[in-house]
PDB file of all heavy atoms in Angstrom:
ATOM      1  N   VAL A 120     -43.435 -48.633 124.382  1.00 87.00           N
ATOM      2  CA  VAL A 120     -43.271 -49.905 125.080  1.00 87.00           C
ATOM      3  C   VAL A 120     -44.408 -50.838 124.704  1.00 87.00           C
ATOM      4  O   VAL A 120     -45.582 -50.449 124.720  1.00 87.00           O
ATOM      5  CB  VAL A 120     -43.242 -49.680 126.610  1.00 87.00           C
ATOM      6  CG1 VAL A 120     -43.142 -51.001 127.347  1.00 87.00           C
ATOM      7  CG2 VAL A 120     -42.096 -48.763 126.982  1.00 87.00           C
ATOM      8  N   ASP A 122     -46.531 -53.011 125.874  1.00 71.00           N
ATOM      9  CA  ASP A 122     -47.122 -53.466 127.123  1.00 71.00           C
ATOM     10  C   ASP A 122     -48.626 -53.494 126.916  1.00 71.00           C
ATOM     11  O   ASP A 122     -49.369 -52.733 127.525  1.00 71.00           O
ATOM     12  CB  ASP A 122     -46.724 -52.513 128.250  1.00 71.00           C
ATOM     13  CG  ASP A 122     -46.813 -53.167 129.610  1.00 71.00           C
ATOM     14  OD1 ASP A 122     -47.160 -54.354 129.672  1.00 71.00           O
ATOM     15  OD2 ASP A 122     -46.532 -52.480 130.601  1.00 71.00           O
ATOM     16  N   ASP A 125     -51.246 -53.410 129.841  1.00 61.00           N
ATOM     17  CA  ASP A 125     -51.166 -52.344 130.839  1.00 61.00           C
ATOM     18  C   ASP A 125     -52.079 -51.187 130.456  1.00 61.00           C
ATOM     19  O   ASP A 125     -51.867 -50.516 129.456  1.00 61.00           O
ATOM     20  CB  ASP A 125     -49.726 -51.861 130.976  1.00 61.00           C
ATOM     21  CG  ASP A 125     -49.544 -50.878 132.111  1.00 61.00           C
ATOM     22  OD1 ASP A 125     -50.517 -50.629 132.851  1.00 61.00           O
ATOM     23  OD2 ASP A 125     -48.424 -50.356 132.257  1.00 61.00           O
ATOM     24  N   GLU A 126     -53.107 -50.937 131.290  1.00 63.00           N
ATOM     25  CA  GLU A 126     -54.032 -49.836 131.013  1.00 63.00           C
ATOM     26  C   GLU A 126     -53.410 -48.482 131.310  1.00 63.00           C
ATOM     27  O   GLU A 126     -53.901 -47.454 130.860  1.00 63.00           O
ATOM     28  CB  GLU A 126     -55.315 -50.015 131.816  1.00 63.00           C
ATOM     29  CG  GLU A 126     -56.139 -51.204 131.382  1.00 63.00           C
ATOM     30  CD  GLU A 126     -57.395 -51.358 132.218  1.00 63.00           C
ATOM     31  OE1 GLU A 126     -57.691 -50.461 133.031  1.00 63.00           O
ATOM     32  OE2 GLU A 126     -58.080 -52.368 132.037  1.00 63.00           O
ATOM     33  N   ASP A 127     -52.341 -48.454 132.109  1.00 61.00           N
ATOM     34  CA  ASP A 127     -51.694 -47.193 132.468  1.00 61.00           C
ATOM     35  C   ASP A 127     -50.566 -46.824 131.517  1.00 61.00           C
ATOM     36  O   ASP A 127     -49.817 -45.880 131.780  1.00 61.00           O
ATOM     37  CB  ASP A 127     -51.139 -47.271 133.892  1.00 61.00           C
ATOM     38  CG  ASP A 127     -52.249 -47.379 134.928  1.00 61.00           C
ATOM     39  OD1 ASP A 127     -53.347 -46.863 134.651  1.00 61.00           O
ATOM     40  OD2 ASP A 127     -52.014 -47.989 135.992  1.00 61.00           O
ATOM     41  N   ALA A 128     -50.418 -47.555 130.429  1.00 66.00           N
ATOM     42  CA  ALA A 128     -49.348 -47.268 129.469  1.00 66.00           C
ATOM     43  C   ALA A 128     -49.559 -45.884 128.870  1.00 66.00           C
ATOM     44  O   ALA A 128     -50.692 -45.409 128.720  1.00 66.00           O
ATOM     45  CB  ALA A 128     -49.317 -48.323 128.374  1.00 66.00           C
ATOM     46  N   ASP A 129     -48.449 -45.235 128.519  1.00 74.00           N
ATOM     47  CA  ASP A 129     -48.521 -43.884 127.963  1.00 74.00           C
ATOM     48  C   ASP A 129     -49.245 -43.839 126.624  1.00 74.00           C
ATOM     49  O   ASP A 129     -49.991 -42.914 126.344  1.00 74.00           O
ATOM     50  CB  ASP A 129     -47.119 -43.300 127.793  1.00 74.00           C
ATOM     51  CG  ASP A 129     -46.456 -43.025 129.122  1.00 74.00           C
ATOM     52  OD1 ASP A 129     -47.174 -42.832 130.126  1.00 74.00           O
ATOM     53  OD2 ASP A 129     -45.217 -42.997 129.163  1.00 74.00           O
ATOM     54  N   TYR A 130     -48.989 -44.823 125.772  1.00 82.00           N
ATOM     55  CA  TYR A 130     -49.565 -44.821 124.438  1.00 82.00           C
ATOM     56  C   TYR A 130     -50.269 -46.134 124.166  1.00 82.00           C
ATOM     57  O   TYR A 130     -49.852 -47.190 124.621  1.00 82.00           O
ATOM     58  CB  TYR A 130     -48.477 -44.555 123.391  1.00 82.00           C
ATOM     59  CG  TYR A 130     -47.808 -43.217 123.609  1.00 82.00           C
ATOM     60  CD1 TYR A 130     -46.474 -43.128 123.966  1.00 82.00           C
ATOM     61  CD2 TYR A 130     -48.537 -42.048 123.481  1.00 82.00           C
ATOM     62  CE1 TYR A 130     -45.869 -41.887 124.179  1.00 82.00           C
ATOM     63  CE2 TYR A 130     -47.942 -40.811 123.700  1.00 82.00           C
ATOM     64  CZ  TYR A 130     -46.617 -40.739 124.044  1.00 82.00           C
ATOM     65  OH  TYR A 130     -46.045 -39.517 124.252  1.00 82.00           O
ATOM     66  N   SER A 131     -51.348 -46.044 123.376  1.00 72.00           N
ATOM     67  CA  SER A 131     -52.195 -47.194 123.089  1.00 72.00           C
ATOM     68  C   SER A 131     -51.565 -48.101 122.026  1.00 72.00           C
ATOM     69  O   SER A 131     -51.293 -47.666 120.911  1.00 72.00           O
ATOM     70  CB  SER A 131     -53.564 -46.713 122.617  1.00 72.00           C
ATOM     71  OG  SER A 131     -54.367 -47.786 122.240  1.00 72.00           O
ATOM     72  N   ILE A 132     -51.335 -49.328 122.425  1.00 80.00           N
ATOM     73  CA  ILE A 132     -50.795 -50.308 121.499  1.00 80.00           C
ATOM     74  C   ILE A 132     -51.513 -51.628 121.772  1.00 80.00           C
ATOM     75  O   ILE A 132     -51.736 -51.997 122.914  1.00 80.00           O
ATOM     76  CB  ILE A 132     -49.263 -50.439 121.660  1.00 80.00           C
ATOM     77  CG1 ILE A 132     -48.671 -51.338 120.595  1.00 80.00           C
ATOM     78  CG2 ILE A 132     -48.891 -50.929 123.026  1.00 80.00           C
ATOM     79  CD1 ILE A 132     -47.151 -51.316 120.559  1.00 80.00           C
TER      80      ILE A 132
END
Side-chain angles (χ1 to χ4, degrees):
V120 177
D122 203 1
D125 187 4
E126 293 179 8
D127 293 331
D129 292 335
Y130 300 114
S131 176
I132 186 170

